[in-house]
Amino acid sequence: MFSIITESGFWNPIIWVLSFIVIFLIMYILRSFGNNKFKKQGEKTKVFLSGNPEYASDDMHIKSSNLYWGFTKVLDWVYTVLKRMHNGDVRDYILWFVIIMGTLLLLGVML
Amino acid sequence: MNIIEYLEPAALIILGSLAVSIIGIVFGLLFKGIDRKLSAHMQGRIGPPIIQPFRDVRKLFVKENIIPHTAIPWIFNLAPIMGLVATITILLYIPLGGFQPIASMGPFGDLILVLYLLIIPSLAMVIGGFASGSPYTIVGAQREMATMIAYEFPLAIVIIAIAYRLYLLGDPQLGSVFSLATIAENPVWSISGPFGYIGFGILLLVLVVVTPAELSKIPFDSPEAETEIAGGLLAEYSGRNLAMFYLTDGVKTFVMASLIVALFFPYNLSILLGLQGIPAITVDIIFFLVKVFLVVLFSVTLVRVAVARLKIDQIVSTYWIYLTLIGLIGLIFVIWDQYLSAMLFA
């Protein structure tokens, strides 16, 4: 009942939700034993900046593009080639499209 | 719908949820303590007592639960508990202590579900980091996302290799190849030839290297770099919220180690010793805990003591380039195992 069964796998979302609710209640009760108060005094509620001055939020903003710095650094050799290929000329893009379509058709015929 | 037929598995799931909550937290913190003790001895220190993580949780419950003024309070408070709860639900689908998974009484969840559920704790930390509103936490959250994206590829290769090897058996009585109960009943070493051993040995190594990244341990703890970004995505967490994340870390360690044992070492000692009944159950549970301890020792403790932290681009290259290639080589050995073994050893 309510199980999603395919040839590759299976899952029952109702059972998972039921167990999630039960465990959530247990953990919520456990968490409630903790201290839920704090005195809003001094600089407690300020973010920790290792002693650096706090600037305006726009000046301290972390760009979301930082997320994929690791990937662009590692795959720099791929992106360098791709950036060179993306020269803004539509004719070159269509040429690549034709080359790849032709290659796929050839592979399709051969196989 | 017959409501009576549905009540029995529902009642068992409720009792099972309570059981895995206790098992996950107790053994998670215990193995965390053992890890800290062993790593201390490896570094020539005495180290804290093994029950120190329990004391740490108790201490954190006493501390103030400070919410920064830049945080979004409801997300900031909800993220830790969601991460912990999702981590504990994974234990319902993994064979523990030599028994079948609690959720194996019906088609309730397979290995693919476990793969998806493993993302939730890390995602909860990422959401908590973004909700904290601090530059350090945002950088930590971004690094955690990058790490997650990086290690999912080799992890998926390992899962697919195991499922595909079961699929190659072609046994219609086998059940789903992604079922952990099926995998536990058909250990990969028992259904492979010599090339399969090489392939699965390589894939085991890949999974052992994926584990520290899943758990944000050195050398893949860039998201929580204490010395670099002041604790990263946990920088603004304190008190009971930090305790929830601390428990999540312990439970996830137990989950990952149990998963590796279930995938690669699901054997029971009681069968070898010819035991039955209570002695068999006792021996199987102890043997399971020993296996989990060994996995934690080799994948977490030894690694974090031996190496330094990697940068985020080094983490990406480790997983996306080196481990993916190594994993694919292992997968090729597994796929060709049937044909190569038949050719060379027929």
Side-chain angles (χ1 to χ4, degrees), chain A residues 74-102:
Chain A
V74 167
L75 300 173
D76 186 51
W77 50 280
V78 173
Y79 288 112
T80 314
V81 173
L82 287 177
K83 276 184 197 171
R84 263 205 308 268
M85 287 166 63
H86 285 69
N87 55 10
D89 192 338
V90 172
R91 292 171 296 181
D92 288 342
Y93 298 150
I94 293 174
L95 176 64
W96 277 110
F97 182 72
V98 168
I99 291 170
I100 290 167
M101 282 296 294

PDB file of all heavy atoms in Angstrom, chain A residues 74-102:
ATOM      1  N   VAL A  74      39.593  23.687 -10.907  1.00  0.00           N
ATOM      2  CA  VAL A  74      40.035  22.336 -11.265  1.00  0.00           C
ATOM      3  C   VAL A  74      39.829  22.077 -12.754  1.00  0.00           C
ATOM      4  O   VAL A  74      40.673  21.484 -13.412  1.00  0.00           O
ATOM      5  CB  VAL A  74      39.253  21.298 -10.423  1.00  0.00           C
ATOM      6  CG1 VAL A  74      39.441  19.908 -10.968  1.00  0.00           C
ATOM      7  CG2 VAL A  74      39.698  21.373  -8.982  1.00  0.00           C
ATOM      8  N   LEU A  75      38.698  22.561 -13.283  1.00  0.00           N
ATOM      9  CA  LEU A  75      38.389  22.306 -14.690  1.00  0.00           C
ATOM     10  C   LEU A  75      38.753  23.508 -15.555  1.00  0.00           C
ATOM     11  O   LEU A  75      38.136  23.741 -16.596  1.00  0.00           O
ATOM     12  CB  LEU A  75      36.900  21.975 -14.829  1.00  0.00           C
ATOM     13  CG  LEU A  75      36.435  20.755 -14.044  1.00  0.00           C
ATOM     14  CD1 LEU A  75      34.922  20.630 -14.106  1.00  0.00           C
ATOM     15  CD2 LEU A  75      37.078  19.486 -14.603  1.00  0.00           C
ATOM     16  N   ASP A  76      39.766  24.244 -15.140  1.00  0.00           N
ATOM     17  CA  ASP A  76      40.199  25.441 -15.852  1.00  0.00           C
ATOM     18  C   ASP A  76      40.557  25.120 -17.301  1.00  0.00           C
ATOM     19  O   ASP A  76      40.246  25.876 -18.226  1.00  0.00           O
ATOM     20  CB  ASP A  76      41.385  26.052 -15.113  1.00  0.00           C
ATOM     21  CG  ASP A  76      41.799  27.373 -15.713  1.00  0.00           C
ATOM     22  OD1 ASP A  76      40.912  28.244 -15.883  1.00  0.00           O
ATOM     23  OD2 ASP A  76      42.982  27.554 -16.030  1.00  0.00           O
ATOM     24  N   TRP A  77      41.192  23.972 -17.502  1.00  0.00           N
ATOM     25  CA  TRP A  77      41.616  23.577 -18.852  1.00  0.00           C
ATOM     26  C   TRP A  77      40.406  23.349 -19.766  1.00  0.00           C
ATOM     27  O   TRP A  77      40.482  23.592 -20.977  1.00  0.00           O
ATOM     28  CB  TRP A  77      42.474  22.314 -18.792  1.00  0.00           C
ATOM     29  CG  TRP A  77      41.873  21.197 -18.001  1.00  0.00           C
ATOM     30  CD1 TRP A  77      41.876  21.060 -16.655  1.00  0.00           C
ATOM     31  CD2 TRP A  77      41.149  20.082 -18.502  1.00  0.00           C
ATOM     32  NE1 TRP A  77      41.205  19.924 -16.273  1.00  0.00           N
ATOM     33  CE2 TRP A  77      40.751  19.295 -17.397  1.00  0.00           C
ATOM     34  CE3 TRP A  77      40.795  19.655 -19.791  1.00  0.00           C
ATOM     35  CZ2 TRP A  77      40.037  18.121 -17.538  1.00  0.00           C
ATOM     36  CZ3 TRP A  77      40.073  18.470 -19.928  1.00  0.00           C
ATOM     37  CH2 TRP A  77      39.699  17.725 -18.797  1.00  0.00           C
ATOM     38  N   VAL A  78      39.274  22.934 -19.201  1.00  0.00           N
ATOM     39  CA  VAL A  78      38.046  22.771 -19.998  1.00  0.00           C
ATOM     40  C   VAL A  78      37.427  24.128 -20.275  1.00  0.00           C
ATOM     41  O   VAL A  78      37.043  24.439 -21.412  1.00  0.00           O
ATOM     42  CB  VAL A  78      37.032  21.877 -19.239  1.00  0.00           C
ATOM     43  CG1 VAL A  78      35.701  21.846 -19.965  1.00  0.00           C
ATOM     44  CG2 VAL A  78      37.586  20.475 -19.067  1.00  0.00           C
ATOM     45  N   TYR A  79      37.344  24.955 -19.235  1.00  0.00           N
ATOM     46  CA  TYR A  79      36.682  26.246 -19.384  1.00  0.00           C
ATOM     47  C   TYR A  79      37.457  27.182 -20.308  1.00  0.00           C
ATOM     48  O   TYR A  79      36.845  27.993 -21.016  1.00  0.00           O
ATOM     49  CB  TYR A  79      36.468  26.902 -18.012  1.00  0.00           C
ATOM     50  CG  TYR A  79      35.390  26.234 -17.200  1.00  0.00           C
ATOM     51  CD1 TYR A  79      35.703  25.539 -16.040  1.00  0.00           C
ATOM     52  CD2 TYR A  79      34.061  26.265 -17.601  1.00  0.00           C
ATOM     53  CE1 TYR A  79      34.721  24.903 -15.302  1.00  0.00           C
ATOM     54  CE2 TYR A  79      33.082  25.627 -16.869  1.00  0.00           C
ATOM     55  CZ  TYR A  79      33.418  24.947 -15.725  1.00  0.00           C
ATOM     56  OH  TYR A  79      32.454  24.304 -15.001  1.00  0.00           O
ATOM     57  N   THR A  80      38.786  27.073 -20.317  1.00  0.00           N
ATOM     58  CA  THR A  80      39.590  27.917 -21.220  1.00  0.00           C
ATOM     59  C   THR A  80      39.211  27.623 -22.670  1.00  0.00           C
ATOM     60  O   THR A  80      39.002  28.529 -23.471  1.00  0.00           O
ATOM     61  CB  THR A  80      41.089  27.646 -21.019  1.00  0.00           C
ATOM     62  OG1 THR A  80      41.376  27.632 -19.631  1.00  0.00           O
ATOM     63  CG2 THR A  80      41.935  28.693 -21.707  1.00  0.00           C
ATOM     64  N   VAL A  81      39.136  26.346 -22.987  1.00  0.00           N
ATOM     65  CA  VAL A  81      38.764  25.955 -24.357  1.00  0.00           C
ATOM     66  C   VAL A  81      37.331  26.395 -24.663  1.00  0.00           C
ATOM     67  O   VAL A  81      37.045  26.944 -25.735  1.00  0.00           O
ATOM     68  CB  VAL A  81      38.914  24.423 -24.530  1.00  0.00           C
ATOM     69  CG1 VAL A  81      38.379  23.977 -25.861  1.00  0.00           C
ATOM     70  CG2 VAL A  81      40.364  24.006 -24.357  1.00  0.00           C
ATOM     71  N   LEU A  82      36.429  26.166 -23.697  1.00  0.00           N
ATOM     72  CA  LEU A  82      35.023  26.509 -23.932  1.00  0.00           C
ATOM     73  C   LEU A  82      34.839  28.008 -24.100  1.00  0.00           C
ATOM     74  O   LEU A  82      34.055  28.459 -24.944  1.00  0.00           O
ATOM     75  CB  LEU A  82      34.161  26.026 -22.762  1.00  0.00           C
ATOM     76  CG  LEU A  82      33.925  24.515 -22.667  1.00  0.00           C
ATOM     77  CD1 LEU A  82      33.124  24.183 -21.419  1.00  0.00           C
ATOM     78  CD2 LEU A  82      33.213  23.991 -23.896  1.00  0.00           C
ATOM     79  N   LYS A  83      35.568  28.811 -23.307  1.00  0.00           N
ATOM     80  CA  LYS A  83      35.446  30.275 -23.405  1.00  0.00           C
ATOM     81  C   LYS A  83      35.920  30.746 -24.771  1.00  0.00           C
ATOM     82  O   LYS A  83      35.332  31.643 -25.376  1.00  0.00           O
ATOM     83  CB  LYS A  83      36.269  30.955 -22.308  1.00  0.00           C
ATOM     84  CG  LYS A  83      35.574  31.074 -20.982  1.00  0.00           C
ATOM     85  CD  LYS A  83      36.455  31.849 -20.024  1.00  0.00           C
ATOM     86  CE  LYS A  83      36.002  31.650 -18.625  1.00  0.00           C
ATOM     87  NZ  LYS A  83      36.946  32.193 -17.645  1.00  0.00           N
ATOM     88  N   ARG A  84      36.995  30.120 -25.265  1.00  0.00           N
ATOM     89  CA  ARG A  84      37.500  30.513 -26.599  1.00  0.00           C
ATOM     90  C   ARG A  84      36.468  30.175 -27.661  1.00  0.00           C
ATOM     91  O   ARG A  84      36.292  30.906 -28.634  1.00  0.00           O
ATOM     92  CB  ARG A  84      38.801  29.759 -26.893  1.00  0.00           C
ATOM     93  CG  ARG A  84      40.053  30.551 -26.597  1.00  0.00           C
ATOM     94  CD  ARG A  84      41.226  30.077 -27.423  1.00  0.00           C
ATOM     95  NE  ARG A  84      41.439  28.647 -27.329  1.00  0.00           N
ATOM     96  CZ  ARG A  84      42.247  28.053 -26.450  1.00  0.00           C
ATOM     97  NH1 ARG A  84      42.924  28.774 -25.584  1.00  0.00           N
ATOM     98  NH2 ARG A  84      42.395  26.748 -26.425  1.00  0.00           N
ATOM     99  N   MET A  85      35.792  29.052 -27.517  1.00  0.00           N
ATOM    100  CA  MET A  85      34.796  28.632 -28.492  1.00  0.00           C
ATOM    101  C   MET A  85      33.580  29.559 -28.485  1.00  0.00           C
ATOM    102  O   MET A  85      32.953  29.768 -29.504  1.00  0.00           O
ATOM    103  CB  MET A  85      34.333  27.190 -28.205  1.00  0.00           C
ATOM    104  CG  MET A  85      35.380  26.143 -28.559  1.00  0.00           C
ATOM    105  SD  MET A  85      34.985  24.556 -27.859  1.00  0.00           S
ATOM    106  CE  MET A  85      33.465  24.165 -28.663  1.00  0.00           C
ATOM    107  N   HIS A  86      33.247  30.115 -27.299  1.00  0.00           N
ATOM    108  CA  HIS A  86      32.066  30.965 -27.212  1.00  0.00           C
ATOM    109  C   HIS A  86      32.439  32.393 -27.594  1.00  0.00           C
ATOM    110  O   HIS A  86      32.565  33.281 -26.751  1.00  0.00           O
ATOM    111  CB  HIS A  86      31.491  30.930 -25.789  1.00  0.00           C
ATOM    112  CG  HIS A  86      30.772  29.667 -25.486  1.00  0.00           C
ATOM    113  ND1 HIS A  86      31.417  28.453 -25.363  1.00  0.00           N
ATOM    114  CD2 HIS A  86      29.470  29.396 -25.301  1.00  0.00           C
ATOM    115  CE1 HIS A  86      30.544  27.510 -25.109  1.00  0.00           C
ATOM    116  NE2 HIS A  86      29.344  28.048 -25.082  1.00  0.00           N
ATOM    117  N   ASN A  87      32.634  32.613 -28.901  1.00  0.00           N
ATOM    118  CA  ASN A  87      33.081  33.928 -29.360  1.00  0.00           C
ATOM    119  C   ASN A  87      31.912  34.841 -29.736  1.00  0.00           C
ATOM    120  O   ASN A  87      32.114  35.939 -30.237  1.00  0.00           O
ATOM    121  CB  ASN A  87      34.028  33.773 -30.557  1.00  0.00           C
ATOM    122  CG  ASN A  87      33.390  32.975 -31.676  1.00  0.00           C
ATOM    123  OD1 ASN A  87      32.193  32.684 -31.650  1.00  0.00           O
ATOM    124  ND2 ASN A  87      34.169  32.599 -32.672  1.00  0.00           N
ATOM    125  N   GLY A  88      30.670  34.412 -29.543  1.00  0.00           N
ATOM    126  CA  GLY A  88      29.517  35.270 -29.807  1.00  0.00           C
ATOM    127  C   GLY A  88      29.036  35.217 -31.245  1.00  0.00           C
ATOM    128  O   GLY A  88      28.031  35.834 -31.584  1.00  0.00           O
ATOM    129  N   ASP A  89      29.742  34.473 -32.113  1.00  0.00           N
ATOM    130  CA  ASP A  89      29.352  34.418 -33.525  1.00  0.00           C
ATOM    131  C   ASP A  89      28.406  33.224 -33.711  1.00  0.00           C
ATOM    132  O   ASP A  89      28.803  32.063 -33.564  1.00  0.00           O
ATOM    133  CB  ASP A  89      30.613  34.239 -34.380  1.00  0.00           C
ATOM    134  CG  ASP A  89      30.349  34.454 -35.852  1.00  0.00           C
ATOM    135  OD1 ASP A  89      29.173  34.323 -36.277  1.00  0.00           O
ATOM    136  OD2 ASP A  89      31.305  34.742 -36.605  1.00  0.00           O
ATOM    137  N   VAL A  90      27.176  33.520 -34.083  1.00  0.00           N
ATOM    138  CA  VAL A  90      26.151  32.462 -34.194  1.00  0.00           C
ATOM    139  C   VAL A  90      26.542  31.421 -35.246  1.00  0.00           C
ATOM    140  O   VAL A  90      26.245  30.235 -35.115  1.00  0.00           O
ATOM    141  CB  VAL A  90      24.793  33.101 -34.539  1.00  0.00           C
ATOM    142  CG1 VAL A  90      23.758  32.029 -34.851  1.00  0.00           C
ATOM    143  CG2 VAL A  90      24.313  33.950 -33.375  1.00  0.00           C
ATOM    144  N   ARG A  91      27.232  31.866 -36.273  1.00  0.00           N
ATOM    145  CA  ARG A  91      27.609  30.942 -37.354  1.00  0.00           C
ATOM    146  C   ARG A  91      28.526  29.825 -36.830  1.00  0.00           C
ATOM    147  O   ARG A  91      28.418  28.660 -37.234  1.00  0.00           O
ATOM    148  CB  ARG A  91      28.303  31.709 -38.475  1.00  0.00           C
ATOM    149  CG  ARG A  91      27.368  32.656 -39.211  1.00  0.00           C
ATOM    150  CD  ARG A  91      28.104  33.541 -40.157  1.00  0.00           C
ATOM    151  NE  ARG A  91      29.026  34.425 -39.426  1.00  0.00           N
ATOM    152  CZ  ARG A  91      29.791  35.337 -40.027  1.00  0.00           C
ATOM    153  NH1 ARG A  91      29.764  35.495 -41.334  1.00  0.00           N
ATOM    154  NH2 ARG A  91      30.596  36.109 -39.327  1.00  0.00           N
ATOM    155  N   ASP A  92      29.427  30.182 -35.900  1.00  0.00           N
ATOM    156  CA  ASP A  92      30.312  29.176 -35.315  1.00  0.00           C
ATOM    157  C   ASP A  92      29.509  28.188 -34.475  1.00  0.00           C
ATOM    158  O   ASP A  92      29.781  26.985 -34.484  1.00  0.00           O
ATOM    159  CB  ASP A  92      31.376  29.829 -34.436  1.00  0.00           C
ATOM    160  CG  ASP A  92      32.411  30.564 -35.270  1.00  0.00           C
ATOM    161  OD1 ASP A  92      32.489  30.277 -36.485  1.00  0.00           O
ATOM    162  OD2 ASP A  92      33.137  31.410 -34.714  1.00  0.00           O
ATOM    163  N   TYR A  93      28.495  28.694 -33.749  1.00  0.00           N
ATOM    164  CA  TYR A  93      27.662  27.801 -32.934  1.00  0.00           C
ATOM    165  C   TYR A  93      26.906  26.813 -33.826  1.00  0.00           C
ATOM    166  O   TYR A  93      26.795  25.636 -33.531  1.00  0.00           O
ATOM    167  CB  TYR A  93      26.656  28.602 -32.090  1.00  0.00           C
ATOM    168  CG  TYR A  93      27.297  29.549 -31.087  1.00  0.00           C
ATOM    169  CD1 TYR A  93      26.648  30.731 -30.717  1.00  0.00           C
ATOM    170  CD2 TYR A  93      28.532  29.287 -30.517  1.00  0.00           C
ATOM    171  CE1 TYR A  93      27.222  31.605 -29.811  1.00  0.00           C
ATOM    172  CE2 TYR A  93      29.107  30.156 -29.615  1.00  0.00           C
ATOM    173  CZ  TYR A  93      28.450  31.316 -29.269  1.00  0.00           C
ATOM    174  OH  TYR A  93      29.027  32.173 -28.376  1.00  0.00           O
ATOM    175  N   ILE A  94      26.375  27.323 -34.939  1.00  0.00           N
ATOM    176  CA  ILE A  94      25.634  26.458 -35.858  1.00  0.00           C
ATOM    177  C   ILE A  94      26.583  25.436 -36.486  1.00  0.00           C
ATOM    178  O   ILE A  94      26.216  24.270 -36.695  1.00  0.00           O
ATOM    179  CB  ILE A  94      24.909  27.291 -36.941  1.00  0.00           C
ATOM    180  CG1 ILE A  94      23.815  28.116 -36.258  1.00  0.00           C
ATOM    181  CG2 ILE A  94      24.314  26.405 -38.016  1.00  0.00           C
ATOM    182  CD1 ILE A  94      23.113  29.077 -37.176  1.00  0.00           C
ATOM    183  N   LEU A  95      27.820  25.859 -36.764  1.00  0.00           N
ATOM    184  CA  LEU A  95      28.809  24.928 -37.312  1.00  0.00           C
ATOM    185  C   LEU A  95      29.045  23.771 -36.339  1.00  0.00           C
ATOM    186  O   LEU A  95      29.065  22.601 -36.733  1.00  0.00           O
ATOM    187  CB  LEU A  95      30.119  25.674 -37.596  1.00  0.00           C
ATOM    188  CG  LEU A  95      31.282  24.812 -38.090  1.00  0.00           C
ATOM    189  CD1 LEU A  95      30.951  24.192 -39.448  1.00  0.00           C
ATOM    190  CD2 LEU A  95      32.568  25.642 -38.200  1.00  0.00           C
ATOM    191  N   TRP A  96      29.218  24.096 -35.047  1.00  0.00           N
ATOM    192  CA  TRP A  96      29.412  23.038 -34.043  1.00  0.00           C
ATOM    193  C   TRP A  96      28.203  22.124 -33.963  1.00  0.00           C
ATOM    194  O   TRP A  96      28.308  20.908 -33.844  1.00  0.00           O
ATOM    195  CB  TRP A  96      29.681  23.653 -32.654  1.00  0.00           C
ATOM    196  CG  TRP A  96      31.108  24.028 -32.461  1.00  0.00           C
ATOM    197  CD1 TRP A  96      31.630  25.275 -32.387  1.00  0.00           C
ATOM    198  CD2 TRP A  96      32.210  23.117 -32.341  1.00  0.00           C
ATOM    199  NE1 TRP A  96      32.979  25.216 -32.227  1.00  0.00           N
ATOM    200  CE2 TRP A  96      33.373  23.895 -32.207  1.00  0.00           C
ATOM    201  CE3 TRP A  96      32.322  21.725 -32.352  1.00  0.00           C
ATOM    202  CZ2 TRP A  96      34.623  23.337 -32.063  1.00  0.00           C
ATOM    203  CZ3 TRP A  96      33.588  21.167 -32.207  1.00  0.00           C
ATOM    204  CH2 TRP A  96      34.727  21.973 -32.074  1.00  0.00           C
ATOM    205  N   PHE A  97      27.023  22.729 -34.048  1.00  0.00           N
ATOM    206  CA  PHE A  97      25.773  21.959 -34.005  1.00  0.00           C
ATOM    207  C   PHE A  97      25.742  20.969 -35.165  1.00  0.00           C
ATOM    208  O   PHE A  97      25.418  19.782 -34.987  1.00  0.00           O
ATOM    209  CB  PHE A  97      24.592  22.932 -34.073  1.00  0.00           C
ATOM    210  CG  PHE A  97      23.257  22.276 -33.994  1.00  0.00           C
ATOM    211  CD1 PHE A  97      22.796  21.732 -32.804  1.00  0.00           C
ATOM    212  CD2 PHE A  97      22.439  22.189 -35.118  1.00  0.00           C
ATOM    213  CE1 PHE A  97      21.560  21.131 -32.731  1.00  0.00           C
ATOM    214  CE2 PHE A  97      21.200  21.581 -35.045  1.00  0.00           C
ATOM    215  CZ  PHE A  97      20.757  21.045 -33.857  1.00  0.00           C
ATOM    216  N   VAL A  98      26.101  21.442 -36.365  1.00  0.00           N
ATOM    217  CA  VAL A  98      26.095  20.579 -37.548  1.00  0.00           C
ATOM    218  C   VAL A  98      27.132  19.461 -37.411  1.00  0.00           C
ATOM    219  O   VAL A  98      26.847  18.303 -37.720  1.00  0.00           O
ATOM    220  CB  VAL A  98      26.363  21.440 -38.817  1.00  0.00           C
ATOM    221  CG1 VAL A  98      26.658  20.554 -40.007  1.00  0.00           C
ATOM    222  CG2 VAL A  98      25.184  22.341 -39.106  1.00  0.00           C
ATOM    223  N   ILE A  99      28.324  19.811 -36.891  1.00  0.00           N
ATOM    224  CA  ILE A  99      29.379  18.801 -36.727  1.00  0.00           C
ATOM    225  C   ILE A  99      28.918  17.701 -35.778  1.00  0.00           C
ATOM    226  O   ILE A  99      29.066  16.497 -36.065  1.00  0.00           O
ATOM    227  CB  ILE A  99      30.692  19.449 -36.204  1.00  0.00           C
ATOM    228  CG1 ILE A  99      31.321  20.341 -37.282  1.00  0.00           C
ATOM    229  CG2 ILE A  99      31.691  18.392 -35.746  1.00  0.00           C
ATOM    230  CD1 ILE A  99      32.464  21.200 -36.784  1.00  0.00           C
ATOM    231  N   ILE A 100      28.333  18.117 -34.669  1.00  0.00           N
ATOM    232  CA  ILE A 100      27.938  17.115 -33.670  1.00  0.00           C
ATOM    233  C   ILE A 100      26.775  16.281 -34.168  1.00  0.00           C
ATOM    234  O   ILE A 100      26.748  15.050 -33.991  1.00  0.00           O
ATOM    235  CB  ILE A 100      27.601  17.802 -32.317  1.00  0.00           C
ATOM    236  CG1 ILE A 100      28.912  18.338 -31.698  1.00  0.00           C
ATOM    237  CG2 ILE A 100      26.937  16.845 -31.348  1.00  0.00           C
ATOM    238  CD1 ILE A 100      28.723  19.277 -30.569  1.00  0.00           C
ATOM    239  N   MET A 101      25.801  16.926 -34.840  1.00  0.00           N
ATOM    240  CA  MET A 101      24.676  16.159 -35.394  1.00  0.00           C
ATOM    241  C   MET A 101      25.178  15.151 -36.416  1.00  0.00           C
ATOM    242  O   MET A 101      24.721  14.009 -36.465  1.00  0.00           O
ATOM    243  CB  MET A 101      23.667  17.125 -36.061  1.00  0.00           C
ATOM    244  CG  MET A 101      22.792  17.850 -35.087  1.00  0.00           C
ATOM    245  SD  MET A 101      21.698  16.760 -34.162  1.00  0.00           S
ATOM    246  CE  MET A 101      20.642  16.145 -35.463  1.00  0.00           C
ATOM    247  N   GLY A 102      26.122  15.590 -37.267  1.00  0.00           N
ATOM    248  CA  GLY A 102      26.679  14.690 -38.268  1.00  0.00           C
ATOM    249  C   GLY A 102      27.397  13.516 -37.645  1.00  0.00           C
ATOM    250  O   GLY A 102      27.237  12.362 -38.076  1.00  0.00           O
TER     251      GLY A 102
END
